[in-house]
Amino acid sequence: MDALLSSTTFPLKRTLYSPSSDQPPQFIRTKISTIRPKKSSQCMQKRVFGHNLALRISANAQSAPSAEASTSSSIPSEMKGWSYGEYGGVDVLKFESNVAVPQLKEDQVLIKVVAAALNPVDFKRRLGKFQATDSPLPTVPGYDVAGVVVKVGSQVKDLKEGDEVYGDINEKALDGPRQFGSLAEYTAVEEKLLALKPKNLDFVQAAGLPLAIETAYEGLERAGFSAGKSILVLGGAGGVGSLVIQLAKHVFGASKIAATASTPKLDFIKSLGVDLAIDYTKENFEDLPEKFDVVYDSVGQCDRAVKAVKEGGSVVVLTGAVTPPGFRFVVTSDGEMLKKLNPFLESGKVKPLVDPKGPFPFDKVKEAFSYLETGRATGKVVIYPIP
């Protein structure tokens, strides 16, 4: 089965997200209403995600004791969010105004979401590709998040209210991902999955990083990549591929980086640090006389990739059939990894890539999903602002 976290690179004009100087986006911390709606005993059965369910979405929300170390009466009990109660195409997505705000576990923080990003795993999950290991429906989708901490659990050690954070909120992407995702006003996340937002990045840029940069980094680590080794990246202009190039160069110390891209994107991948830019529309990378210590395949060409790797080398596979010595993995979300990479982001050595069609506003989530599912996105598809 195709890896659910992968994306495909297609010829498309690239644009690095850069707010224009005359109309900069305003990343202003949202002021939350201090009015808590009154409830009668007859109103405790909530309508959740457009389904008449006599329960909240979290399985333990009603029975679990409160784990909150700090509270604020300004946090409402309901929020706006996108959800689906059945698997299917984009039409199953529904905008709801009365989604129950998730309650905290002891090791979690509540985030006021400012921006969120979409990944291929989001729409493949919605299509039911891994429903055997999915959490129960209904679901608020979304893995990547950037926002502000507004409440902390009793066992949270480092984060505090007011911290600007980012992360991939699902530790195991395919194994019971949470029902409360990032496409809502609030989401509850374990502290260990988060890091402080890099100071030089806005929320849009930060939201597009977590899952992609963690996938890029973990794949390089699993391949045993290290200083002095060479690498070939298939799909160098994509969300993951563009970060593999940058991490290989600035974090791991690659001796040589080659990457494939379409003709219009060759200059772009060179700007990321590529030494040998290969136009896949004109030449076959496996026919090159030079072989590489690692081939990182983000586009599903493992049968060809294994012909470009040195004997004893590794081929990282994100999608498509796997041919030895290729291997596939599913990323594990890790806030410590983000903390380790923050200095490279804050120095500007590693840069986020946001698709030029974005960011998509919160009321255009269906359009954002449809665009992502065409496979033509360059970099990350980001949703901003979230009310």
Side-chain angles (χ1 to χ4, degrees):
M1 180 179 68
D2 285 0
L4 296 169
L5 305 177
S6 62
S7 59
T8 305
T9 303
F10 289 80
L12 183 70
K13 182 180 180 181
R14 64 93 188 166
T15 303
L16 281 170
Y17 175 80
S18 179
S20 61
S21 58
D22 56 338
Q23 292 183 326
Q26 299 298 309
F27 297 101
I28 302 173
R29 189 172 302 170
T30 304
K31 181 178 181 182
I32 308 168
S33 172
T34 59
I35 301 174
R36 181 183 288 271
K38 295 181 180 179
K39 296 187 177 72
S40 65
S41 59
Q42 290 81 12
C43 298
M44 292 308 292
Q45 291 188 341
K46 288 211 174 278
R47 178 179 178 272
V48 184
F49 303 148
H51 303 271
N52 294 320
L53 302 178
L55 48 87
R56 285 179 180 268
I57 190 169
S58 56
N60 62 351
Q62 293 186 2
S63 59
S66 174
E68 297 161 6
S70 58
T71 60
S72 172
S73 60
S74 64
I75 298 173
S77 60
E78 296 180 342
M79 63 182 178
K80 299 180 179 68
W82 286 87
S83 71
Y84 54 89
E86 60 181 320
Y87 294 114
V90 293
D91 288 340
V92 303
L93 289 163
K94 306 297 181 185
F95 179 77
E96 305 284 354
S97 60
N98 57 349
V99 178
V101 173
Q103 295 186 14
L104 291 183
K105 296 180 180 179
E106 293 180 346
D107 60 346
Q108 292 180 332
V109 301
L110 186 67
I111 297 175
K112 176 62 187 73
V113 181
V114 178
L118 303 184
N119 294 279
V121 68
D122 286 299
F123 72 77
K124 292 176 182 180
R125 179 188 184 190
R126 193 202 67 230
L127 290 169
K129 296 291 188 180
F130 57 100
Q131 57 184 288
T133 58
D134 199 1
S135 54
L137 296 171
T139 296
V140 172
Y143 283 64
D144 285 334
V145 68
V148 180
V149 174
V150 294
K151 190 181 293 186
V152 300
S154 60
Q155 299 301 314
V156 171
K157 298 178 180 178
D158 298 320
L159 294 177
K160 62 184 183 302
E161 291 185 25
D163 282 342
E164 298 179 349
V165 296
Y166 75 126
D168 169 6
I169 68 175
N170 290 305
E171 184 172 11
K172 301 293 184 182
L174 310 183
D175 186 10
R178 70 185 69 245
Q179 289 175 291
F180 280 106
S182 57
L183 290 178
E185 291 182 272
Y186 297 90
T187 192
V189 190
E190 288 78 8
E191 181 184 31
K192 67 180 181 179
L193 305 184
L194 300 169
L196 293 176
K197 180 178 70 66
K199 297 180 179 64
N200 61 315
L201 301 184
D202 58 41
F203 286 102
V204 171
Q205 294 167 316
L209 280 168
L211 192 149
I213 201 168
E214 289 174 344
T215 299
Y217 187 88
E218 186 174 342
L220 289 168
E221 275 200 328
R222 285 175 176 262
F225 196 71
S226 58
K229 291 187 176 182
S230 60
I231 187 170
L232 168 63
V233 182
L234 306 184
V240 173
S242 62
L243 288 165
V244 171
I245 292 168
Q246 296 180 77
L247 295 180
K249 182 177 182 66
H250 298 293
V251 179
F252 288 85
S255 61
K256 185 170 185 177
I257 302 174
T260 63
S262 60
T263 307
K265 296 180 180 179
L266 296 179
D267 287 340
F268 167 59
I269 62 173
K270 289 178 183 177
S271 73
L272 297 178
V274 168
D275 303 298
L276 175 62
I278 303 166
D279 187 339
Y280 68 76
T281 69
K282 297 179 180 178
E283 54 186 326
N284 297 320
F285 62 83
E286 68 269 32
D287 294 335
L288 294 173
E290 184 176 4
K291 306 303 175 186
F292 302 87
D293 294 301
V294 170
V295 179
Y296 203 118
D297 176 19
S298 69
V299 296
Q301 298 178 338
C302 185
D303 57 333
R304 298 171 57 195
V306 296
K307 299 176 183 178
V309 70
K310 293 179 180 178
E311 184 175 352
S314 297
V315 178
V316 184
V317 181
L318 296 186
T319 187
V322 178
T323 303
F327 70 91
R328 179 182 292 150
F329 75 99
V330 177
V331 66
T332 299
S333 176
D334 182 6
E336 291 302 317
M337 185 187 301
L338 296 178
K339 293 174 186 177
K340 182 189 300 184
L341 296 174
N342 269 0
F344 297 94
L345 293 162
E346 292 181 336
S347 69
K349 291 181 178 179
V350 178
K351 299 177 176 64
L353 176 64
V354 176
D355 186 89
K357 288 187 177 294
F360 289 78
F362 196 49
D363 62 352
K364 299 296 183 183
V365 164
K366 284 188 178 182
E367 289 82 353
F369 264 105
S370 295
Y371 176 58
L372 177 67
E373 291 172 49
T374 66
R376 293 195 291 268
T378 299
K380 296 303 296 291
V381 176
V382 178
I383 308 299
Y384 169 86
I386 295 179

